[in-house]
């Protein structure tokens, strides 16, 4: 009876998600209006549980980007937003955060439908994450300031922090609303205007957010949304002469292309790109805690996140015990319908990514890695893949070097501290890493020696915060999001000097 009741609840949740999606305006959002795209083309919204197309949304193109950018540029140069008192801008962001929180259930349903993530995960991570970013940066709106400086001459010298102008925000499909909030909140708090491009695989919550912008009372042109493909809409945004900044989260390949395209007009660029993150488990670690942390680090969001702990280095003294428990935990993971309350892992978000993950699993087998568990599609429909653990992985294997972006973890042994640090750093990426140890000296040494932007010590993997700077080293990108540095990235510094007549002191 309990199973039947749970199944019915899941069906009801799915029906509510479909109804919410059907009720959305399936158009572009430009200058506070939902409008058709110029081409008349449509983009499919595909249910990753089944592979079924459930609705279609307007596909934007270069003409639509031009309309949106001009609306944002006019709003910045002629509209009230940059001239609005900073406290009032903050109040508007608080209002938007309240509206998102009031509609959290609907937004979580849309996220689960769109990308297949468990509903509970969307409720616990994605929607609260957006709200946290909005509230944190709402508080920053009236705290951006310059300095009064001593000049070598009898001059008054001071600095101003000014908004940049039009910001293009290009976000991926794994955390559509949360990663948009990470960029949107500081951009707006600083007084900029925005054109957002959601990934074509995850457009629903961004369109619902546009409705909430209207309800919150934001002026026209402050927030615009152009749905479309990366090579058309994304490229047009990056190349547009009226766009002043590009903030991008996504693959390193696309990040490099954005740098190339942005160079011609010397745009400000922030890139958060790929990762191949290492979790190092020392011999003195609490094994049970480390097993659970390593499990979540690899398999949250079906492994589809840039800080996934896909490279696991376990000290040789505890490797056998650790891996026996890790395999057992992976095999117990509840895979299924995202709308079921007990589901820990849903499907891969879309078919191309599903195919890529399976191909890399096959590459791991062919190169001699030992498949400890998983490695197969689940069922005949939808994009489900078993949690997969590989042992006997060598550092040069593709699965140890390439970002898989799926539920796959590569497990390796180590003996010497300097050795494991060298191996962990032997990657093109440098986004994040983790260390499990009870020794303070080891934690301090490794946190400094690992060439990454973030290091988590013990059981706090993926504990991001709006107040803590986040950014990558090497080919994981550059620039910083979150914290004071995150909002300063949406400003530029200006120095002002003027003579002081008959100064009583200088």
């Amino acid at each position: 009876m309990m199973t039947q009741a749970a199944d019915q609840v899941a069906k009801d949740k799915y029906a509510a998600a479909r109804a919410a999606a059907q009720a959305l305006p399936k158009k572009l959002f430009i200058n506070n209006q939902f409008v058709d795209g110029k081409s008349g083309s449509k983009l499919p919204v595909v249910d990753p549980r089944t592979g079924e197309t459930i609705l279609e949304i307007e596909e934007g193109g270069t003409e639509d980007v031009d309309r949106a950018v001009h609306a944002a540029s006019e709003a910045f140069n002629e509209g009230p937003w940059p001239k609005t008192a900073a406290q009032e801008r903050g109040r508007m962001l608080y209002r938007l955060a309240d509206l998102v929180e009031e509609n959290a259930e609907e937004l979580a349903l849309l996220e689960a439908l769109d990308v297949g993530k468990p509903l509970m995960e969307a409720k616990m991570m994605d929607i609260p994450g957006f709200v946290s970013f909005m509230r944190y940066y709402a508080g920053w709106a009236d705290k951006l300031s310059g300095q009064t400086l001593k000049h070598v001459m009898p001059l008054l010298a001071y600095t101003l922090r000014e908004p940049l102008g039009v910001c293009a925000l290009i976000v991926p499909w794994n955390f559509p609303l949360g990663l948009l909030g990470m960029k949107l909140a500081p951009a707006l708090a600083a007084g900029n205007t925005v054109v957002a491009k959601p990934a074509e695989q995850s457009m629903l919550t961004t369109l619902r957010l546009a409705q909430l912008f209207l309800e919150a009372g934001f002026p026209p042109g402050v927030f615009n949304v152009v749905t479309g493909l990366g090579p058309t809409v994304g490229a047009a945004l990056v190349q547009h002469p009226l766009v002043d900044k590009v903030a991008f989260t996504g693959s390193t390949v696309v990040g490099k292309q954005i740098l190339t395209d942005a160079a011609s007009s010397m745009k400000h660029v922030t890139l958060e790109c790929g990762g191949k993150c290492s979790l190092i488990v020392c011999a003195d670690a609490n094994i049970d805690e480390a097993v659970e942390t390593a499990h979540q680090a690899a398999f949250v969001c079906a492994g589809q996140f840039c800080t996934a702990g896909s490279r696991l280095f376990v000290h040789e003294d505890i490797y056998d015990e650790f891996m026996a428990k890790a395999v057992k935990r992976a095999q117990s993971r509840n895979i299924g319908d995202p709308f079921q309350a007990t589901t820990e892992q849903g499907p891969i978000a879309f078919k191309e990514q599903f195919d890529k993950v399976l191909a890399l699993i096959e590459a791991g087998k062919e190169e001699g890695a030992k498949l400890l568990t998983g490695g197969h599609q689940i069922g005949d429909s939808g994009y489900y893949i078993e949690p997969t653990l590989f042992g006997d992985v060598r550092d040069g294997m593709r699965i140890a070097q390439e970002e898989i972006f799926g539920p796959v973890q590569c497990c390796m042994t180590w003996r010497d501290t300097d050795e494991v640090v060298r191996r962990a750093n032997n990657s093109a990426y440098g986004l994040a890493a983790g260390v499990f140890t009870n020794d303070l000296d080891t934690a301090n040494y490794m946190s400094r020696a690992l060439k990454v932007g973030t290091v988590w010590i013990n059981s706090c993997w993926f504990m991001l915060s709006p107040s803590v700077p986040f950014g990558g080293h090497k080919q994981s990108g550059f620039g910083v999001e979150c914290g004071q540095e995150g909002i300063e990235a949406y400003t530029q510094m200006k120095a002002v000097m003027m003579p002081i007549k008959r100064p009583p002191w200088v």
Side-chain angles (χ1 to χ4, degrees):
M1 290 295 293
M2 290 181 64
T3 301
Q4 290 178 348
D7 289 345
Q8 187 57 52
V9 169
K11 290 178 182 178
D12 292 343
K13 295 287 188 184
Y14 175 68
R18 288 288 296 261
Q22 291 295 342
L24 287 174
K26 302 166 188 64
K27 300 185 177 186
L28 317 180
F29 184 69
I30 299 175
N31 217 25
N32 275 14
Q33 294 183 330
F34 287 98
V35 298
D36 293 330
K38 291 293 187 182
S39 71
S41 299
K42 309 292 182 183
L43 291 168
V45 174
V46 178
D47 182 351
R49 304 178 321 148
T50 63
E52 169 198 4
T53 296
I54 53 179
L55 53 87
E56 293 181 326
I57 289 173
E58 288 286 323
E59 179 180 354
T62 54
E63 289 183 76
D64 304 303
V65 168
D66 191 58
R67 284 195 292 166
V69 171
H70 274 90
S73 181
E74 183 176 347
F76 182 78
N77 292 304
E78 308 295 336
W81 185 247
K83 307 175 187 69
T84 300
Q87 281 189 333
E88 177 62 15
R89 286 204 304 273
R91 190 194 67 78
M92 294 287 287
L93 294 188
Y94 280 124
R95 171 65 176 147
L96 182 63
D98 290 345
L99 286 170
V100 169
E101 197 167 58
E102 290 168 15
N103 292 274
E105 175 73 16
E106 178 190 0
L107 288 162
L109 287 168
L110 290 171
E111 212 82 300
L113 177 67
D114 215 3
V115 295
K117 67 173 51 191
L119 181 60
M120 290 304 297
E121 189 176 295
K123 286 182 177 181
M124 293 174 62
M125 296 174 64
D126 298 59
I127 314 307
F130 182 94
V131 172
S132 292
F133 284 118
M134 283 294 149
R135 288 179 176 155
Y136 176 78
Y137 283 112
W140 262 105
D142 61 355
K143 297 172 183 65
L144 282 171
S145 60
Q147 293 179 299
T148 303
L149 305 168
K150 292 289 186 181
H151 199 284
V152 295
M153 303 294 288
L155 300 176
L156 170 63
Y158 62 92
T159 58
L160 299 170
R161 278 211 169 270
E162 300 181 337
L164 293 171
V166 178
C167 299
L169 311 183
I170 303 174
V171 297
W173 42 265
N174 53 339
F175 291 94
L177 200 59
L179 290 175
L180 177 58
M182 184 184 284
K183 298 165 173 53
L184 181 63
L188 295 181
N192 301 284
T193 57
V194 163
V195 180
K197 183 214 168 295
E200 59 269 24
Q201 300 90 355
S202 56
M203 302 172 282
L204 299 182
T205 48
T206 306
L207 293 175
R208 182 68 182 103
L209 183 65
Q211 292 180 307
L212 298 179
F213 262 88
L214 287 174
E215 190 174 342
F218 280 79
V222 172
F223 178 66
N224 307 273
V225 179
V226 182
T227 52
L229 302 177
T232 50
V233 170
L237 278 170
V238 175
Q239 295 167 12
H240 201 289
L242 296 182
V243 169
D244 300 285
K245 178 183 172 76
V246 177
F248 168 78
T249 296
S251 73
T252 296
V253 171
V254 175
K256 290 178 180 179
Q257 185 62 51
I258 286 173
L259 276 181
T260 300
D261 291 347
S264 61
S265 54
M266 297 289 286
K267 289 176 171 47
H268 296 253
V269 178
T270 299
L271 300 177
E272 193 267 280
C273 297
K276 192 67 180 175
C277 305
S278 298
L279 175 55
I280 300 170
V281 182
C282 299
D284 65 341
N286 181 312
I287 292 180
D288 290 338
E289 286 186 10
V291 166
E292 184 60 25
T293 297
H295 177 81
Q296 299 299 342
F299 301 125
V300 162
C301 198
Q304 299 169 110
F305 61 112
C306 53
T307 57
S310 58
R311 289 194 299 163
L312 178 63
F313 293 91
V314 182
H315 194 278
E316 63 181 13
D317 289 351
I318 61 170
Y319 182 81
D320 290 342
E321 179 185 357
F322 186 100
M323 292 312 303
K325 292 182 175 181
V327 168
K328 184 176 180 180
R329 179 63 180 96
Q331 291 172 345
S332 73
R333 190 166 182 82
N334 193 332
I335 319 297
D337 186 344
F339 297 97
Q340 285 274 12
T342 57
T343 294
E344 294 181 277
Q345 181 180 313
I348 301 298
F350 57 101
K351 188 176 189 306
E352 291 79 4
Q353 185 61 26
F354 171 79
D355 291 339
K356 175 190 172 184
V357 174
L358 289 178
L360 281 167
I361 289 172
E362 289 304 310
K365 296 176 187 177
E366 292 169 3
E367 289 185 318
K370 183 179 180 181
L371 183 63
L372 301 176
T373 188
H376 304 97
Q377 178 181 0
I378 300 173
D380 298 323
S381 63
Y383 310 133
Y384 293 90
I385 296 176
E386 295 172 323
T388 301
L389 288 176
F390 278 107
D392 298 338
V393 176
R394 298 188 302 276
D395 294 340
M397 290 180 175
R398 287 182 61 194
I399 57 172
Q401 291 295 322
E402 296 183 25
E403 185 177 39
I404 299 174
F405 231 65
V408 182
Q409 191 170 52
C410 307
C411 309
M412 296 159 276
T413 63
W414 65 277
R415 176 182 301 173
D416 176 74
T417 300
D418 291 335
E419 164 224 333
V420 75
V421 167
R422 284 195 302 270
R423 292 169 64 194
N425 287 335
N426 180 26
S427 171
Y429 301 108
L431 189 56
V435 179
F436 241 97
T437 181
N438 287 316
D439 185 85
L440 184 59
D441 291 336
T442 299
N444 280 329
Y445 169 74
M446 287 194 176
S447 63
R448 286 160 172 76
L450 291 165
K451 296 178 181 179
V452 296
T454 297
V455 178
W456 291 293
I457 304 298
N458 294 334
S459 54
C460 61
W461 191 280
F462 201 47
M463 296 295 181
L464 302 179
S465 169
S467 60
V468 180
F470 178 74
H473 295 182
K474 298 189 280 188
Q475 293 190 39
S476 289
F478 58 83
V480 172
E481 297 185 293
C482 305
Q484 179 176 343
E485 296 85 351
I487 192 168
E488 288 178 348
Y490 289 89
T491 67
Q492 54 193 349
M493 186 71 77
K494 176 183 286 183
V496 180
M497 287 156 279
M498 63 180 68
I500 306 174
K501 300 293 185 179
R502 299 179 62 238
W505 54 267
V506 291

